[in-house]
Amino acid sequence: MIIVLRPNTTQEQIDHIVEKLIKVGLKPHISKGLERTIIGVIGDERIISTYPLEAIPGVEKVLPILKPYKLASRDFKPEKTTINIDSKVTIGGNTLVVIGGPCSIESEEQILSVAKAIKEAGAHILRGGAFKPRTSPYDFQGLGKEGLEYLALASKETGLPIITEVMDPRKVDLVAQYASIIQIGARNMQNYSLLKEIGNCKKPILLKRGMSATLKDLLMAAEYILSSGNLDVILCERGIRTFEEATRNTLDISAIPVIKELSHLPIIVDPSHAGGKWKWVTPLSKAAIAAGCDGLLIEVHSNPEEAYSDGEQSLTPKNFINLMNEIKPLAKLLGKTI
Ligand code: PEP
Ligand code: MN
């Protein structure tokens, strides 16, 4: 249910409405738009329908949200969400935000050299995995806390905000101490305990689409985080499983315009895990930008053939510079800056 307030509603009236809603056991979420303030109400629909909400001063109308995702929907929030990262860059605005870095953090030297290279090339955020979700238990699982320390050092040296993945609800507090953005990987998109845990955390969340998840599944997963109190959610299309074997996954370009219509949340694209080979990264990035994505997440490694994970799809720093040079004019053409 959404409560649309009259244009000149006072803060006192808003507080009064919120207080009443909480009193009857409902959970209000305020969304202040440029012209209107909307209160999204989550809770037992029966209480809502028996309560004369339209009688409260300041309330203009009460409407049902018909979609199964409520807080993620455009009904709840017509304007696009913008998310500020460490007061350095905004995701969801006019900047096409480029996140770059290795799949895994391997050593202090490795992450520092990539961080410097991508910063030099104009990237906005540094990525690197310390806890890695690997298909095989025998593969490199990540450096854990030690990796987070190296990532923090690279951030300090370059000034770049950092994004890193958390897989275990028990590690959320630890990862949140280091990360500017916390990543939930494709394999954990529907790990509801983890989603609820990070919903209580104050850091922005990057939620990657599960490899077999529909867009509705993705938005329902985002709803878990939003309804737990964290409204800073960035969605990420990273390719889905199809019958095609030429690429690692099939990049679902349609996800971008469809998500933009259904939701106010920003959506970025990861062409590295979609294509699975470095040479597909630039064309897929261009397609994603043309379709209107808010940013890109690109794997970069100084020596891909020695990488502990995902070397095949990693760009060298030189190839990353080439990518940046190719996408800048395209972004500009579409009214975005990098
Ligand atoms: C990653 O970003 O390194 C990763 C493991 O991605 P995904 O969860 O999309 O497979
Ligand atoms: Mn990877």
Side-chain angles (χ1 to χ4, degrees), residues 144-304:
K145 189 169 185 288
E146 188 188 344
L148 295 175
E149 298 279 352
Y150 298 151
L151 193 60
L153 196 72
S155 167
K156 208 167 154 222
E157 288 267 321
T158 56
L160 292 171
I162 45 184
I163 173 166
T164 193
E165 176 165 354
V166 69
M167 299 198 298
D168 184 334
R170 291 164 299 187
K171 292 282 193 297
V172 169
D173 287 345
L174 173 73
V175 174
Q177 281 170 34
Y178 294 87
S180 320
I181 305 173
I182 300 179
Q183 175 172 321
I184 298 295
R187 289 154 193 82
N188 271 318
M189 189 205 84
Q190 285 177 309
N191 179 341
Y192 298 119
S193 325
L194 182 60
L195 298 181
K196 283 185 196 165
E197 192 64 36
I198 54 158
N200 293 320
C201 157
K202 300 275 174 285
K203 292 287 168 90
I205 308 297
L206 179 86
L207 178 64
K208 295 187 99 175
R209 180 182 183 181
M211 53 194 87
S212 302
T214 63
L215 294 177
K216 183 174 155 197
D217 294 336
L218 173 63
L219 290 171
M220 292 309 290
E223 193 75 15
Y224 266 88
I225 307 170
L226 299 168
S227 64
S228 300
N230 188 340
L231 298 180
D232 290 340
V233 177
I234 304 142
L235 304 173
C236 179
E237 163 61 36
R238 46 77 73 203
I240 49 172
R241 283 256 162 102
T242 67
F243 49 80
E244 182 52 65
E245 291 172 343
T247 48
R248 181 175 177 180
N249 292 286
T250 298
L251 182 64
D252 181 9
I253 286 290
S254 347
I256 305 158
V258 174
I259 287 288
K260 290 233 166 264
E261 177 163 316
L262 300 177
S263 178
H264 52 88
L265 297 172
I267 177 162
I268 70 158
V269 168
D270 169 355
S272 306
H273 290 88
K277 288 213 170 59
W278 72 267
K279 63 174 158 182
W280 307 134
V281 172
T282 297
L284 294 179
S285 299
K286 288 180 181 167
I289 296 167
C293 71
D294 294 296
L296 297 168
L297 184 145
I298 314 264
E299 286 192 337
V300 186
H301 196 286
S302 301
N303 189 5

